[in-house]
Amino acid sequence: MKIALASDHGGFSLKEEVKRALLAQGHEVVDLGTDSEESVDYPVFAQKCAQAVASGDCGRGILFCGTGIGMCMAANKVKGIRCAVATSDEYARLAAEHNHANILALGGRFTEPADALRYIGIWLTTEWAGGRHGRRVEELDEML
Ligand code: RB5
């Protein structure tokens, strides 16, 4: 699956670690920046990643900022995007199973690379439950 990655300066280092690991796992990765720890504005990069996923060019996206929060807020302003912050295995699982999240947001200042990779693995491999969650996700998608 083609996965879009984007970060601001606060998430840059974690993005780089995750990119290396995803490539080693055989994923196709599209890195939409940023390219250094120089300060940038997270909405710009969230929008690039959200558009790559919403357009269908990438199947999933992963966003990285200091906390994951700003990236998540920005990505969810794009129609068709369901972005969730993951801070535990359970959040990663439920983001996939209940919320059908197509973008995961991670906090580079609060997440160890090994934890981030575990959350991503859980999120990528957990199936969406559908059913009652399907109706709620449809309602979400109709809001924009
Ligand atoms: C940048 O300092 C920081 O605000 C940003 O990375 C992010 O955490 C915002 O939600």
Side-chain angles (χ1 to χ4, degrees):
M1 179 192 303
K2 199 160 146 190
I3 303 174
L5 305 182
S7 76
D8 71 355
H9 52 290
F12 171 71
S13 164
L14 186 59
K15 171 172 71 71
E16 294 301 299
E17 296 250 19
V18 165
K19 179 169 65 178
R20 274 192 289 277
L22 290 178
L23 288 170
Q25 289 168 15
H27 291 287
E28 191 179 349
V29 167
V30 179
D31 185 347
L32 298 167
T34 187
D35 301 323
S36 75
E37 290 188 347
E38 189 179 327
S39 182
V40 292
D41 295 336
Y42 59 81
V44 175
F45 292 90
Q47 192 177 13
K48 287 176 197 268
C49 179
Q51 283 172 346
V53 174
S55 70
D57 184 37
C58 293
R60 300 278 185 109
I62 309 172
L63 287 166
F64 307 83
C65 63
T67 59
I69 296 170
M71 282 293 199
C72 188
M73 288 177 163
N76 280 319
K77 291 192 174 287
V78 174
K79 187 165 181 60
I81 295 306
R82 294 175 303 276
C83 180
V85 177
T87 55
S88 68
D89 292 6
E90 200 65 352
Y91 268 53
R93 182 179 71 76
L94 290 169
E97 194 177 302
H98 287 193
N99 308 109
H100 205 200
N102 48 14
I103 298 186
L104 202 67
L106 298 170
R109 294 184 178 137
F110 298 91
T111 315
E112 292 299 325
D115 292 331
L117 290 169
R118 206 177 56 255
Y119 302 160
I120 291 165
I122 291 168
W123 168 67
L124 287 175
T125 55
T126 299
E127 295 213 354
W128 183 40
R132 68 186 189 280
H133 302 296
R135 187 182 64 247
R136 294 163 187 163
V137 165
E138 274 174 26
E139 287 168 1
L140 268 183
D141 286 345
E142 283 163 10
M143 289 177 77
L144 282 180

